[in-house]
Amino acid sequence: MNYTLHQLQIFQKIAELKSITKASEELHLTQPAVSIQLKNFQDKFPIPLTEVVGRQLYITDFGMEIARTVTKILTEVEAINYKTRAFQGEISGRLTISVASTGKYVLPYFLSGFMRKNPGVDLVMDVTNKSLVVESLERNAVDFALVSVLPDKLKINTISLMQNSLHYVASSDFDIADGESGEVLFEKMPLIYREPGSATRNAMENFIAQRKFSITKKMELTSNEAVKQAVIAGLGCSIMPIIGLRNELKSQKLKIVPVTGLPINTFWNLVWLQAKNLSPVAKAFVEYLEAEKEAVIAKHFDYLS
């Protein structure tokens, strides 16, 4: 059987997405090109790899077995590329990081210089809520995690990057009197929460519980961006990290409402398991952060002050 690396890559993507259309989009190929390569690959086997029921593409049991083998082959090919770069004196390999959702406004700035300096490094960054970030760290599924609240049950190493400040924010069209009491802001105004497991939600709930506010109007949304858009639209108010509100505050779509006890200040921390044997790429990233983090903050986050 003779099949090309290109065919393996295409079949792996089809098996992953269960769609020729989606595979062609991710691979930046036309649908006919992907279909032709799938047919050429299928012709190498006497047993069907895929089947179409109605308009839905399915991978057969045999196809799934082949897909698992293809993944192993492509992983080994990737390893060959990494080893070639290593022998040429380049830092190469994969860097995997799980990021608490608001951290998407932070970590890319600490990564960009490192990635430009080391073109042989591949980045995998998963953005999700804090609970799933900690879970991926605990399972040793990632090199690093970016969190604003340190997990208390794990033995970890930490690099503190920068401050994370949470403020009470409202639409600029919201009619809120100067010096409005916390009772009015939290008990009379509709309040928008992040989903359970979010560090922002936990901070917000702790603040409310400590002051014994009684919340009557409450909404729950599953991303920081969704909360921001809801606040802009006037659906309610929220406690949010200022790091993701730069443009909205500048354009006066949102406003910060002074509240006694706010802002809540924490720090963004890059963490990893103490027992983890860091790869050369991961070690190089730690060294880069220790040397460059202050310069990154000065260049990209001076507006926070």
Side-chain angles (χ1 to χ4, degrees):
M1 291 185 184
N2 295 317
Y3 24 74
T4 67
L5 187 61
H6 187 51
Q7 289 171 348
L8 297 182
Q9 291 166 333
I10 287 175
F11 181 68
Q12 182 196 46
K13 189 58 66 176
I14 291 172
E16 175 190 338
L17 300 175
K18 311 294 190 298
S19 167
I20 290 176
T21 300
K22 292 178 181 178
S24 65
E25 290 172 354
E26 286 215 9
L27 295 168
H28 305 291
L29 298 169
T30 65
Q31 289 186 42
V34 171
S35 296
I36 289 170
Q37 291 301 323
L38 175 60
K39 181 181 182 303
N40 291 341
F41 189 59
Q42 172 66 79
D43 288 345
K44 310 295 182 184
F45 302 94
I47 305 172
L49 300 171
T50 64
E51 60 184 356
V52 177
V53 179
R55 301 182 65 180
Q56 179 64 47
L57 178 74
Y58 293 90
I59 311 300
T60 65
D61 290 343
F62 177 70
M64 292 305 298
E65 287 292 330
I66 297 300
R68 282 189 278 270
T69 302
V70 166
T71 297
K72 293 177 183 177
I73 293 171
L74 293 177
T75 299
E76 291 301 317
V77 170
E78 193 175 70
I80 291 171
N81 294 334
Y82 291 151
K83 289 173 183 177
T84 301
R85 294 190 188 106
F87 272 89
Q88 292 174 323
E90 297 179 22
I91 294 175
S92 63
R94 178 173 293 178
L95 188 64
T96 57
I97 308 177
S98 187
V99 180
S101 57
T102 311
K104 66 178 176 286
Y105 301 111
V106 176
L107 191 60
Y109 294 98
F110 290 92
L111 279 163
S112 59
F114 178 77
M115 296 301 292
R116 285 195 301 271
K117 184 178 178 182
N118 301 289
V121 174
D122 293 329
L123 172 66
V124 178
M125 188 170 77
D126 178 40
V127 180
T128 185
N129 70 32
K130 182 227 175 184
S131 294
L132 295 178
V133 168
V134 173
E135 180 185 316
S136 65
L137 185 70
E138 189 172 15
R139 290 189 291 106
N140 195 30
V142 294
D143 296 316
F144 301 106
L146 184 73
V147 293
S148 59
V149 178
L150 295 174
D152 53 8
K153 295 182 180 180
L154 298 178
K155 293 182 179 180
I156 55 174
N157 293 319
T158 303
I159 295 180
S160 182
L161 296 182
M162 57 180 288
Q163 186 169 281
N164 180 42
S165 295
L166 282 69
H167 293 258
Y168 187 100
V169 295
S171 167
S172 295
D173 296 331
F174 242 63
D175 186 17
I176 298 177
D178 291 341
E180 195 69 85
S181 69
E183 286 82 358
V184 169
L185 293 174
F186 284 91
E187 297 183 358
K188 305 296 183 184
M189 295 288 184
L191 211 56
I192 303 175
Y193 286 70
R194 283 286 307 279
E195 78 284 0
S198 160
T200 299
R201 179 184 177 124
N202 291 343
M204 186 170 169
E205 288 182 329
N206 289 338
F207 180 85
I208 291 168
Q210 288 169 6
R211 285 150 185 81
K212 299 180 179 178
F213 293 141
S214 179
I215 306 303
T216 56
K217 299 179 181 180
K218 176 179 175 181
M219 284 171 271
E220 181 180 298
L221 300 176
T222 57
S223 75
N224 195 68
E225 190 65 28
V227 173
K228 180 170 67 175
Q229 295 302 324
V231 174
I232 291 172
L235 283 174
C237 304
S238 189
I239 292 178
M240 299 187 69
I242 195 174
I243 190 73
L245 306 177
R246 178 183 184 180
N247 294 332
E248 290 74 19
L249 292 170
K250 187 176 181 180
S251 63
Q252 298 185 341
K253 292 180 179 179
L254 291 177
K255 62 183 176 182
I256 293 175
V257 180
V259 176
T260 301
L262 293 179
I264 301 168
N265 291 317
T266 59
F267 272 82
W268 286 110
N269 297 281
L270 191 80
V271 302
W272 65 99
L273 296 174
Q274 286 183 1
K276 186 171 185 63
N277 184 20
L278 292 180
S279 68
V281 173
K283 289 179 181 177
F285 185 53
V286 169
E287 293 170 0
Y288 172 83
L289 287 179
E290 290 173 339
E292 301 292 337
K293 70 172 185 176
E294 296 301 333
V296 172
I297 293 169
K299 181 177 180 180
H300 297 290
F301 299 104
D302 61 322
Y303 69 92
L304 293 176
S305 60

